[in-house]
Amino acid sequence: MKSKIIFTTLLIEKSPQAIPLGAACVASAVKNSSLTKDLCDVELLAFNIEDFENLWKQKLEKIDCQNQNDFSDASNDESFDYFCADLISEKLLAEKPEIVGFSVFVWNSRILQIVSRNLRNHGVFTFAGGPEITSHPQVFDAFDKTVCGEGEAKVPAVIYEKITGQKTEACRIDYDNLSSCYLDGTLNVCDYEGALWELARGCPFKCSYCYESKGEKSVRKFPMERIEKELDLFAQKKVPQVFVLDPTYNADKSRAIQLLKMIAKKTPNTFYYFEARAEFIDRELASYFAKIPCALQIGLQTADENVARLVNRPFNLKNFTKKIGVLNETGIVFGLDVIYGLPGDTFASFKNSVNYAVSLYPNNLEIFCLSVLPGTTLFDEAEKLHLTFETEPPYHVLHTDRFSAADLQNARKIAEGCNIFYNEGRSVPWFNTICHTLKIKPAIFFEKFYNFLNLSGKTYELNCKNHYNHKYIEELQKKFVKEQFAQKNILRLYNVAQDLISYHGAVSRKTDTGKSETIFLHYPPEFLDSEYAFDLDFFVRNVKPKSVQFKT
């Protein structure tokens, strides 16, 4: 009789960006390994925090808990961790497995350790792998065994030894013959309305805050034959969106172009998300990105060249600006990332980074607090770099010698204000115009908006939504902008500002949902969508008001 083995993990949510890919890859390897394929039945069972948060909220409401206003922080509550762990343990034990393998990350390690202890108390053998385990395996004594590095090579040997009692050597990964969890059905792309697509592992760069900062400076690429078969599967299943897992997709230009040609031919209606390095962008590569529906996410991290140098991420402001200009000229959608709390960074230089990033017109701006991850160069050099950080996940920096705890709190406000007003509010077409009119820098604008939300009691209401309602945010944008215009005594310009927000908001919703809507404007839409709208004072002096009913 075959042994039953479950591979599991805990995801943040169920979405195309949160797929149990790591667990699925290892499960696929065990199903196909000559060591284990005849010894066990393999099952993949994934959970997500979002579902548990909803159940947790219902539980608190049922008992009329006095702390209902803390629902949005439920995942940080110790009692919530045990609540999740008990539910996961119950579901896993109901499957009667002999062995359970966990895929561990920063966001799930505490809960999965509790689950493992529960299972071990019932005689289940547990093991764990993933970046959190690989970084410091000695800390994780909640599991019977920990597996470092790439699990496809090591886990079949672990399972073989556990089932047979015989020792065996782990094999090296053969990327040319490694099984695909999509092609063998371990993962069903239809279950997640999208796919995470792994094209390569490793990174040639050594940014000190990243897990790739140590170890071999190599990139391991999956063969084109496998990639093409997976692409054919995506085409067959009509996968709507694909998130490409290759941290330096455009480092190898010829391979990048070859893949883009293949994508354009086989899946012309699928939207792709790429991680890219700005320094490798050129007009030829940009022209191929422009031929498919896609967006690029680019790590700026900081606009301060000295700060970038301290984390081993060489940065040239002039060159970065030039490369992003190519994307804007080509019409490619892109987003930028900024980190606050980096060594050598100050609150002032962080705000300069935010201001610089917004000046480049990114479609989204993701702002993160630095995590000093165990297993990274930054973790090893933390004392020398004057970094004080949390000893438990998510390992956020608490303060540095140049970035105080109060500064970090203010940076978090800017990040939240940016996320709601700029990202969720879809304000990229008109945001810089509003800032220019108010003579205010973006970072200060975002902080003011956060304070506006907090004072009006809207922050909690927004944070409790699983997905922000754009129309609701749009009304908040208008109210805030009007308040700012009144303070500057420029309310004569507000009608056109309001029109810009309404017009672009309606167009974006039509693009997003396909549903038309009718809005009322003070000015003709053709002028709102022209160069006139870059200067509101010029607009008001040169365009006559005309009430318009506009249907998207």
Side-chain angles (χ1 to χ4, degrees), residues 35-105:
L35 283 175
T36 53
K37 63 182 181 180
D38 297 323
L39 296 177
C40 56
D41 289 321
V42 177
E43 182 180 349
L44 176 67
L45 188 57
F47 304 89
N48 73 81
I49 289 177
E50 191 174 69
D51 284 347
F52 292 133
E53 285 179 338
N54 291 332
L55 292 172
W56 179 244
K57 178 178 178 179
Q58 293 171 18
K59 177 181 177 179
L60 293 182
E61 288 177 333
K62 188 174 181 179
I63 63 175
D64 196 26
C65 178
Q66 293 181 349
N67 295 321
Q68 291 184 55
N69 286 341
D70 292 332
F71 292 150
S72 62
D73 295 325
S75 59
N76 294 322
D77 187 359
E78 185 177 350
S79 60
F80 175 74
D81 290 351
Y82 280 95
F83 173 78
C84 292
D86 287 345
L87 289 177
I88 294 172
S89 301
E90 182 180 334
K91 290 180 182 294
L92 290 173
L93 289 170
E95 298 294 323
K96 301 186 186 317
E98 293 180 32
I99 302 172
V100 173
F102 295 87
S103 185
V104 179
F105 297 87

Side-chain angles (χ1 to χ4, degrees), residues 81-307:
D81 290 351
Y82 280 95
F83 173 78
C84 292
D86 287 345
L87 289 177
I88 294 172
S89 301
E90 182 180 334
K91 290 180 182 294
L92 290 173
L93 289 170
E95 298 294 323
K96 301 186 186 317
E98 293 180 32
I99 302 172
V100 173
F102 295 87
S103 185
V104 179
F105 297 87
V106 167
W107 61 83
N108 66 21
S109 65
R110 287 184 299 191
I111 294 174
L112 293 187
Q113 287 179 81
I114 300 170
V115 174
S116 179
R117 292 190 182 98
N118 290 344
L119 298 186
R120 292 172 71 184
N121 288 337
H122 286 80
V124 178
F125 178 82
T126 68
F127 67 91
E132 226 3 47
I133 298 296
T134 299
S135 64
H136 53 160
Q138 67 280 0
V139 173
F140 293 92
D141 58 1
F143 306 97
D144 288 306
K145 190 173 184 63
T146 54
V147 180
C148 298
E150 294 171 290
E152 293 99 332
K154 298 180 180 181
V155 170
V158 169
I159 292 174
Y160 177 83
E161 289 181 13
K162 176 60 182 175
I163 294 175
T164 67
Q166 302 174 23
K167 287 193 172 293
T168 186
E169 292 294 323
C171 62
R172 291 181 62 85
I173 288 186
D174 177 5
Y175 279 83
D176 288 334
N177 296 296
L178 190 63
S179 62
S180 163
C181 62
Y182 287 121
L183 297 178
D184 71 6
T186 303
L187 261 184
N188 184 350
V189 293
C190 297
D191 289 343
Y192 294 89
E193 298 182 352
L196 291 178
W197 193 25
E198 193 175 26
L199 304 182
R201 293 179 184 172
C203 179
F205 302 99
K206 296 298 172 183
C207 306
S208 60
Y209 49 77
C210 178
Y211 283 123
E212 298 289 348
S213 61
K214 296 163 69 175
E216 294 184 15
K217 191 174 181 179
S218 64
V219 176
R220 287 90 67 199
K221 301 173 182 176
F222 288 103
M224 275 294 178
E225 181 181 2
R226 164 181 164 146
I227 289 172
E228 186 166 8
K229 287 179 180 178
E230 290 177 330
L231 196 57
D232 287 334
L233 176 66
F234 297 161
Q236 177 191 344
K237 299 294 185 180
K238 294 182 170 56
V239 176
Q241 54 187 325
V242 174
F243 294 82
V244 177
L245 297 182
D246 184 342
T248 53
Y249 174 78
N250 58 330
D252 184 338
K253 179 180 172 180
S254 60
R255 178 180 165 91
I257 290 176
Q258 181 185 359
L259 282 169
L260 290 171
K261 288 179 178 179
M262 196 184 300
I263 288 169
K265 180 180 178 181
K266 293 178 179 289
T267 57
N269 298 317
T270 299
F271 198 96
Y272 285 82
Y273 298 86
F274 298 92
E275 294 179 66
R277 296 280 295 212
E279 57 264 46
F280 297 132
I281 297 290
D282 63 20
R283 294 190 183 279
E284 182 185 16
L285 184 58
S287 70
Y288 283 99
F289 276 122
K291 292 176 182 177
I292 66 169
C294 74
L296 311 185
Q297 195 67 24
I298 297 170
L300 168 61
Q301 318 310 9
T302 177
D304 188 310
E305 295 182 6
N306 292 323
V307 173

